[in-house]
Amino acid sequence: MKPGLELRALRGATTASANTGDAIAEAVAELIEELLQRNDLAGDRVLSVTFSVTADLDACFPAAIARRRADWGRVALLDCQQMAVAGDLPRCIRLLAHAWLEAGREEVHPYLREAARLRPDRADAGQPSAPASSPADH
C-alpha cells in the first residue's frame, strides 16, 4: 500500500476506425492518454491493464501498443477477446486498469468515439451520446 493513495479499478473503451495496425494503435494511444490525463496518473502508478477487443479486430495487439510507452515498463499488460454478443459495438477496444489514485479522488472512466454509446453516463460531455443500441458494457 502506498501512503495517501488507494488502489482503484478504472474502465474505458473506444473504437478503431478500421481493422488495421495504424487505426488500432491510434485508438489505443488516445484511450490511454485520456485515462491518464482524466485521472491525473503518472505511468508509475499504473499496475496493470487488460485490453479486450471484439472479434473483428485482429490486426495487432493493443498491449503491444501500450508497451511502447517509456513509462510503462513495469505495467502488466494483457490482451483478450471480448465475449461475442449479438448486436455488440463493432471494432471496440475496452480496458480495465488497476492504478494508485489519490485517496478520495473520484475515478474517471473514459468512453470515447462510438464507445460513448456503451456508457452515455460516462461519456465526455463534449461528445454526442447516441442512444444505446447495443448491450450494456460489463
Side-chain angles (χ1 to χ4, degrees):
M1 181 165 272
K2 296 187 177 201
L5 299 176
E6 297 174 340
L7 184 59
R8 305 291 263 297
L10 303 165
R11 292 291 318 265
T14 191
T15 52
S17 59
N19 182 28
T20 66
D22 287 343
I24 294 169
E26 178 185 336
V28 168
E30 178 186 38
L31 181 58
I32 290 170
E33 282 305 313
E34 290 295 322
L35 180 79
L36 296 177
Q37 286 180 6
R38 293 180 187 193
N39 289 286
D40 195 26
L41 281 171
D44 65 345
R45 294 205 336 237
V46 179
L47 297 177
S48 66
V49 180
T50 300
F51 293 94
S52 69
V53 298
T54 49
D56 53 0
L57 291 178
D58 62 5
C60 70
F61 293 106
I65 305 306
R67 197 169 287 114
R68 295 176 187 169
R69 293 186 59 89
D71 58 345
W72 278 29
R74 298 180 59 146
V75 177
L77 300 166
L78 178 67
D79 290 309
C80 60
Q81 190 171 76
Q82 181 71 25
M83 187 177 131
V85 175
D88 195 12
L89 185 63
R91 295 183 314 277
C92 190
I93 303 163
R94 293 170 171 91
L95 68 71
L96 171 63
H98 293 92
W100 294 102
L101 289 176
E102 289 88 15
R105 179 185 179 94
E106 188 173 337
E107 62 272 356
V108 181
H109 308 276
Y111 282 76
L112 310 175
R113 301 181 183 191
E114 292 298 313
R117 294 184 355 213
L118 297 172
R119 291 297 306 261
D121 59 320
R122 293 184 173 169
D124 207 20
Q127 284 190 351
S129 296
S133 60
S134 61
D137 192 26
H138 300 290

